[in-house]
Amino acid sequence: MLATLEARTPATRDRAIDGLRALALLGVVIGHWLVMPLIPDASGALHVSSPLRALPAFAPVSWMLQMLGLFFLVGGYVAARGYRGGYRPWLRTRLLRLGRPVLALAVALAAGLPLLYLCGVPAGTLRTTLVLTVQPLWFLGVYAVVTALTPVIVALVRRFGVLAAVPPVLVVAAVDLLRYGPWQHAVPGWVGLVNVLPGWAFGYVLGVAWAYGRLGRRAAALLAAGGGVLALLLVARFGYPVSMVGVPGSARTNSHPPSLLVVALAAAQCGLAVLLRDRLAALLRRPAWWGAAVLVNLGALTILCWHQIAGVLVAGAAQLVARHAVTGLHTVPGGPVWILERLAWLPAYLIVLAGIVAAARRFEK
């Protein structure tokens, strides 16, 4: 199979872009598996816990797993390379590609959840399943809006180059100043939502600039260094939470809506992606690595839509078979050993996810 994939790959295929997309997606999948264990309550219903409450030192790992900035970078790059006018048919094709897997998931949930309830699955478990499944889909909504703005972003990049990515950063910084400055108590909570579009569009603009040759190695090095320094400064001097994911009970969160720390991390990751592009492309010329990247890319949206359900299925099946809390699946995170216990279940989770993707990927074609 690897030889077939290699033979069918055009010589002009940009393997580094596919590799970055796969890397970003795997970060989401593995990150959610590690930070969202499902703990049964007295009634047996499964509810989300977080290891970061007991293991705050584990929070910096989330910097390596939060790679949505790379996903938007790749999205902007691919959109810019593929957009050649004919806006409506181009946008319709892109949105249909996004919408088909989501529609299939919605139909499955609408049919499956009531049936599972009638079969005796606790309502709390079903509620947790619904919330976990729907939560990642906000990303696709934002991605669709940014995609629709591609002609505007292309025009800005053609005129201003990579500097077109500066306004989104300024907007996020201004909103954070309002949210976290001395006057924060007088600012309504919805103001943070202003950051959703510019915070995630930042990486997309960089991707468009990269596609048009306006993001070179020098600018990439500045992004990587500047983003890294800014991220450390925001945590050390301005009180930003270290974790890139929400922690239950925490007064502030970085990712929902995105804060300036998320943008700084995206800048560092995007800069490194540009600098390491040739090395990544060389690595992906090896058939085994390229085959893995191809398999992830072929079901990218399906993986994004269904990966949380795979986690619930693993936890639920183990609960049903064992009839008691299973270490690493249903135990409350309480120490470093728990991380190893959780990782021990990762292969089972990935096998279940692969089976789901094999069945549901047809809706992505």
Side-chain angles (χ1 to χ4, degrees), residues 79-102:
R81 294 294 294 267
Y83 177 67
R84 295 292 183 269
Y87 174 68
R88 288 186 179 181
W90 174 84
L91 181 62
R92 182 167 55 250
T93 300
R94 303 282 292 183
L95 295 184
L96 283 174
R97 174 79 187 278
L98 291 174
R100 281 195 298 265
V102 176

Side-chain angles (χ1 to χ4, degrees), residues 270-292:
C270 292
L272 287 174
V274 175
L275 292 173
L276 297 175
R277 175 182 188 166
D278 292 341
R279 293 187 181 183
L280 181 58
L283 178 66
L284 291 174
R285 291 190 186 97
R286 301 178 182 179
W289 286 102
W290 178 236

Side-chain angles (χ1 to χ4, degrees), residues 13-361:
R13 185 75 185 182
D14 197 329
R15 301 189 183 210
I17 296 300
D18 292 309
L20 290 172
R21 185 189 293 110
L23 182 64
L25 188 59
L26 289 176
V28 172
V29 170
I30 295 174
H32 280 163
W33 174 252
L34 289 177
V35 304
M36 291 185 177
L38 297 173
I39 312 300
D41 60 16
S43 68
L46 297 173
H47 300 279
V48 176
S49 183
S50 173
L52 297 178
R53 300 171 69 176
L55 301 168
F58 188 56
V61 177
S62 64
W63 290 37
M64 294 183 288
L65 298 175
Q66 168 60 280
M67 291 188 282
L68 286 179
L70 288 183
F71 208 105
F72 278 91
L73 174 79
V74 170
Y77 182 94
V78 173
R81 294 294 294 267
Y83 177 67
R84 295 292 183 269
Y87 174 68
R88 288 186 179 181
W90 174 84
L91 181 62
R92 182 167 55 250
T93 300
R94 303 282 292 183
L95 295 184
L96 283 174
R97 174 79 187 278
L98 291 174
R100 281 195 298 265
V102 176
L103 180 59
L105 176 64
V107 171
L109 289 174
L113 293 182
L115 181 61
L116 290 173
Y117 180 75
L118 293 175
C119 292
V121 177
T125 297
L126 298 179
R127 189 179 306 111
T128 298
T129 303
L130 182 61
V131 171
L132 287 178
T133 305
V134 172
Q135 270 185 345
L137 300 185
W138 65 263
F139 157 80
L140 292 180
V142 176
Y143 190 85
V145 173
V146 176
T147 298
L149 295 174
T150 296
V152 177
I153 296 173
V154 166
L156 291 173
V157 166
R158 283 177 169 171
R159 180 164 185 177
F160 300 107
V162 73
L163 294 179
V166 172
V169 179
L170 297 179
V171 171
V172 173
V175 171
D176 274 13
L177 184 61
L178 289 174
R179 290 197 294 165
Y180 305 136
W183 42 76
Q184 58 182 293
H185 298 295
V187 177
W190 58 262
V191 168
L193 296 177
V194 175
N195 276 356
V196 171
L197 187 59
W200 296 115
F202 170 72
Y204 195 92
V205 177
L206 291 179
V208 173
W210 192 17
Y212 278 91
R214 306 298 294 272
L215 175 55
R217 294 186 62 84
R218 180 177 299 179
L222 289 174
L223 276 173
V229 170
L230 177 59
L232 295 175
L233 185 64
L234 291 173
V235 171
R237 297 296 299 273
F238 293 97
Y240 279 69
V242 177
S243 175
M244 286 293 172
V245 296
V247 180
S250 177
R252 288 170 58 172
T253 180
N254 283 311
S255 55
H256 303 295
S259 70
L260 187 58
L261 182 58
V262 169
V263 175
L265 179 64
Q269 291 174 340
C270 292
L272 287 174
V274 175
L275 292 173
L276 297 175
R277 175 182 188 166
D278 292 341
R279 293 187 181 183
L280 181 58
L283 178 66
L284 291 174
R285 291 190 186 97
R286 301 178 182 179
W289 286 102
W290 178 236
V294 169
L295 290 177
V296 172
N297 276 274
L298 285 175
L301 291 175
T302 306
I303 292 171
L304 185 67
C305 288
W306 290 87
H307 73 280
Q308 293 285 49
I309 288 181
V312 176
L313 286 176
V314 171
Q319 183 187 34
L320 184 64
V321 172
R323 304 274 183 187
H324 60 78
V326 178
T327 301
L329 286 180
H330 309 126
T331 50
V332 177
V337 174
W338 180 89
I339 299 174
L340 298 178
E341 295 169 345
R342 187 70 177 171
L343 288 173
W345 282 98
L346 181 60
Y349 166 60
L350 294 178
I351 290 171
V352 172
L353 178 58
I356 294 174
V357 172
R361 193 179 67 83

